[in-house]
Amino acid sequence: MRIINIGPDPSLAYRPNLETGKAKDKEDYRNFESGSLIDRVFNTYSLMHTNQTVEFVNQKHTEWNGCNHTRMGMMDAIMSLDQLVDESDPDVDFPNSFHAFQTAEGIRQEHPDKEWFQLVGLIHDVGKIMALWDEPQWAVVGDTFPVGCKFQNSIVFRDNTFLKNPDENNPKYNTEFGIYEPNCGLDNVLMSWGHDEYLYRVMKFNKCPIPEEGLYMIRFHSFYPWHSHGDYMHLCNDKDLKMLPWVKEFNKFDLYTKTTDLPDVNNLKVYYQSLIDKYCPGVLQW
């Protein structure tokens, strides 16, 4: 039996009524115990939790942070996700590009005055494009967590998927603070490598004028142990705590707009291309 230790998810309180006039039960989202996709999900996390080490993460920063893989416009990158189904996601089994527009439209409905927020909703998962460039999904998708310190219990499948991770039994890395200082700030913490960190690096490399709140959403939206379970606060500084409510606000749209009611992407493209032209214009380096 696969047992996980997770506390109540505060973001469940934000669940908007997006399907039929009836809110979903909370077990309908992020159910890591059962469901038709659970074997695929568990396998992805098992590989992730075995292989995401300090050494591995540093290697990936070296490989990807130079943004020298290709040149591509943002809308082309978004639409390329038609080729990708996220193997870590227990909620959906359709191409990731639909989720981009679902998230953006949910934000647009509640925050019509915040174009940058809508844009972040559209692009937040574009870093998953690494999976189309031969990066294994366990190094691209799924929840993120710090490496270099103790793996906290709120990480999904924590009990039985880190047994073969060499950092788990390394006394340099397996204490509460590990290689970090108290309240060092998340900017100084090595997160498990994935699409969050990669897209954040792409945005910074291309000097995209997205506000700091939006950059935090991009960089930490998959960091569920932090924004939904309150773990790793001992590593946070004042800036992280100031940005946390923005990441929580983003989470309700990222997670709870995942329905089988797929948007008409062609009708939405013109509007969202105008936001891309404002915040991520032209051809970007990836």
Side-chain angles (χ1 to χ4, degrees), residues 52-55 57-58 61 145-152 167 171-193 197 219-220 223 232-237 240:
Q52 291 272 4
T53 62
V54 170
E55 181 181 9
V57 171
N58 281 322
H61 277 276
F145 51 89
V147 296
C149 64
K150 181 181 178 181
F151 303 122
Q152 298 291 321
D167 290 359
K172 183 179 178 180
Y173 300 137
N174 65 6
T175 63
E176 198 75 6
F177 288 97
I179 60 177
Y180 308 112
E181 296 295 326
N183 307 117
C184 60
L186 294 180
D187 192 49
N188 296 305
V189 171
L190 277 177
M191 299 296 297
S192 57
W193 181 255
E197 184 70 23
R219 195 177 194 183
F220 298 115
F223 189 10
Y232 297 103
M233 291 298 177
H234 57 289
L235 301 179
C236 294
N237 60 19
D240 301 323

Side-chain angles (χ1 to χ4, degrees), residues 151-166:
F151 303 122
Q152 298 291 321
N153 288 337
S154 59
I155 300 173
V156 298
F157 304 122
R158 170 64 181 95
D159 288 350
N160 52 1
T161 54
F162 285 93
L163 300 176
K164 296 181 181 179
N165 185 308

Side-chain angles (χ1 to χ4, degrees), residues 226-227 233 239-249:
W226 176 55
H227 65 65
M233 291 298 177
K239 179 182 178 182
D240 301 323
L241 298 181
K242 182 180 177 181
M243 293 293 158
L244 179 55
W246 286 98
V247 179
K248 286 177 173 285
E249 177 68 7

Side-chain angles (χ1 to χ4, degrees), residues 82-97:
D82 277 339
Q83 305 168 59
L84 176 69
V85 174
D86 186 333
E87 295 176 357
S88 73
D89 195 329
D91 295 319
V92 297
D93 195 26
F94 51 77
N96 222 245
S97 58

Side-chain angles (χ1 to χ4, degrees), residues 5-70:
N5 291 325
I6 58 173
D9 187 345
S11 62
L12 292 171
Y14 296 135
R15 190 186 323 105
N17 182 0
L18 290 168
E19 256 190 306
T20 63
K22 180 181 179 182
K24 287 189 177 184
D25 292 332
K26 60 185 178 182
E27 61 266 21
D28 290 340
Y29 289 103
R30 286 180 60 80
N31 179 354
F32 290 102
E33 296 180 329
S34 63
S36 61
L37 305 176
I38 192 62
D39 288 340
R40 184 185 74 182
V41 172
F42 181 78
N43 182 60
T44 301
Y45 275 103
S46 293
L47 290 168
M48 179 196 305
H49 294 168
T50 297
N51 293 290
Q52 291 272 4
T53 62
V54 170
E55 181 181 9
F56 176 81
V57 171
N58 281 322
Q59 175 190 334
K60 291 303 165 184
H61 277 276
T62 300
E63 288 180 18
W64 291 99
N65 287 1
C67 296
N68 55 5
H69 285 75
T70 193

Side-chain angles (χ1 to χ4, degrees), residues 67 198-207 285-286:
C67 296
Y198 175 55
L199 183 61
Y200 168 77
R201 297 287 175 169
V202 171
M203 295 296 95
K204 296 289 283 187
F205 189 91
N206 288 278
K207 297 181 171 60
Q285 291 182 241
W286 297 84

